[in-house]
Amino acid sequence: MIAVLASLWRRVLPWLTLAAAILLFVVGARRRGEQAGRAAERLEKLERTNHARQRMLEAGADRPRNRDDFVERLRKGGF
């Protein structure tokens, strides 16, 4: 009986090892995918923030410098 179990164990052990290795690979790949997704989301949010900040800086650079410039811009209708 013990010999039969030992023989069975010798045949099953390599398959169990293979299944465990595949399972660990899949779990690791899933974690890496989740991390990559979060990193991509952070990058996208950072790009949107930087784009909005750049638009604000450009708008500030295009503003009238003083009252005279402001009045002149109003007269030209280019406000």
Side-chain angles (χ1 to χ4, degrees), residues 13-77:
L13 184 62
W15 292 105
L16 286 175
T17 305
L18 180 64
I22 291 171
L23 179 67
L24 289 174
F25 176 77
V26 169
V27 169
R30 181 174 178 212
R31 282 188 180 175
R32 293 291 179 206
E34 289 173 356
Q35 288 175 352
R38 285 192 298 268
E41 190 175 323
R42 280 193 306 266
L43 178 63
E44 187 177 316
K45 187 184 294 185
L46 181 64
E47 286 175 347
R48 282 194 314 260
T49 303
N50 286 341
H51 183 64
R53 184 177 293 145
Q54 186 64 33
R55 286 192 323 242
M56 287 188 281
L57 289 172
E58 288 171 358
D62 194 31
R63 76 188 195 318
R65 298 291 175 219
N66 53 31
R67 276 189 172 177
D68 294 332
D69 289 344
F70 178 67
V71 170
E72 188 64 32
R73 188 179 273 188
L74 284 176
R75 285 185 183 141
K76 289 181 180 178

Side-chain angles (χ1 to χ4, degrees), residues 2-18:
I2 293 176
V4 172
L5 289 176
S7 172
L8 181 64
W9 182 250
R10 279 191 209 117
R11 279 188 264 152
V12 172
L13 184 62
W15 292 105
L16 286 175
T17 305
L18 180 64

